[in-house]
Amino acid sequence: MIKKKILFVCLGNICRSPSAEAVFRGLVEKKGEGHHFVIDSAGTSDWHRGEPADKRMQKHAVKRGYNLTSISRPFETGDFDKFDWIVAMDHENLDELKRKAGNKSDSKKLFLMTGFSKKYNYDNVPDPYFGGDEGFELVLDLLEDAGEGLYHFVNSG
Ligand code: 4NP
């Protein structure tokens, strides 16, 4: 069976993309399709390389039943070959990935997470790092919503 391979990308890989990874994994597992997917996350920076997800993000995620298990790693150009869909959390991440893309087939794998939103009308998943509790909750709200849209998108091709 050919698996669908999805990589979520933010800046630090300790808040938004580890959450996107866990929320999307939860979503496909709930549908009984976890085995159809390879799901991972990375950062456009290496500032937090080797660190677990931010404690505040973990706390908010656990309340909704998501365990953030990923360890921060920087995005590598080799990820373009390893994944089918590379989903950025904001425009800065997306622009950085576009710069790293080596050819058209790489660029075609790039998407913005909020492009899959259904209920919400945000043009990015706002960085919660320097803010309060509500920023972390908003990240999870946006990811749960856009995750559904992304699921339908990757199953429609
Ligand atoms: P993330 O959040 O990109 O969602 O993981 C951030 C984490 C760390 C920093 C910025 C954003 N930082 O400036 O260290």
Side-chain angles (χ1 to χ4, degrees), residues 49-73:
R49 184 199 292 264
E51 294 177 21
D54 184 285
K55 282 274 181 296
R56 299 162 297 167
M57 192 73 250
Q58 289 201 40
K59 183 188 85 179
H60 287 274
V62 160
K63 280 199 284 178
R64 299 194 192 194
Y66 306 116
N67 270 320
L68 305 189
T69 54
S70 77
I71 299 295
S72 177
R73 71 160 179 97

Side-chain angles (χ1 to χ4, degrees), residues 10-18 47-48 93 127-130:
C10 62
L11 176 61
N13 192 213
I14 54 169
C15 294
R16 293 166 293 174
S17 60
W47 302 339
H48 296 277
N93 312 147
D127 182 351
Y129 192 69
F130 295 106

Side-chain angles (χ1 to χ4, degrees), residues 22-95:
V23 167
F24 194 77
R25 185 170 293 120
L27 188 151
V28 297
E29 281 177 358
K30 209 161 140 196
K31 297 177 193 289
E33 296 179 17
H35 56 293
H36 291 173
F37 288 85
V38 172
I39 305 165
D40 194 7
S41 66
T44 54
S45 78
D46 64 358
W47 302 339
H48 296 277
R49 184 199 292 264
E51 294 177 21
D54 184 285
K55 282 274 181 296
R56 299 162 297 167
M57 192 73 250
Q58 289 201 40
K59 183 188 85 179
H60 287 274
V62 160
K63 280 199 284 178
R64 299 194 192 194
Y66 306 116
N67 270 320
L68 305 189
T69 54
S70 77
I71 299 295
S72 177
R73 71 160 179 97
F75 180 86
E76 300 165 353
T77 48
D79 287 320
F80 280 113
D81 296 325
K82 293 188 188 138
F83 294 91
D84 309 309
W85 292 276
I86 299 173
V87 185
M89 296 298 124
D90 65 33
H91 286 280
E92 286 73 31
N93 312 147
L94 185 62
D95 289 346

